[in-house]
Amino acid sequence: MGRRRLAMGCSPGDSQCLSSEQPPHTLKVAPFRLGKYEVTQAQWRAVTGKNPSSFKGDDRPVGGCR
């Protein structure tokens, strides 16, 4: 996906907002790629040498990566 801008936060007058959602602001999202399939923990570990997942299993999807 190419560089995008999007609005983030609650609309003015919305009574169900958290204070952290105010004021609305523009967010810039850097380009990224999205795979068709989830990455398994075994694949992630082969590339990074780490497994951040809480629920371990080579065939499970990797979780908790940042």
Side-chain angles (χ1 to χ4, degrees):
M1 306 243 356
R3 184 171 297 276
R4 302 274 190 237
R5 292 177 184 254
L6 58 100
M8 187 172 186
C10 285
S11 301
D14 190 335
S15 63
Q16 297 186 9
C17 290
L18 300 174
S19 60
S20 61
E21 298 174 311
Q22 292 288 345
H25 58 282
T26 301
L27 180 69
K28 295 177 189 175
V29 180
F32 65 94
R33 293 184 181 198
L34 185 63
K36 185 174 181 178
Y37 302 103
E38 296 175 318
V39 175
T40 68
Q41 293 176 31
Q43 292 168 325
W44 186 268
R45 192 172 45 255
V47 173
T48 67
K50 300 176 183 176
N51 185 357
S53 303
S54 296
F55 300 100
K56 306 290 186 194
D58 283 348
D59 293 330
R60 290 178 172 259
V62 69
C65 52
R66 294 177 193 233

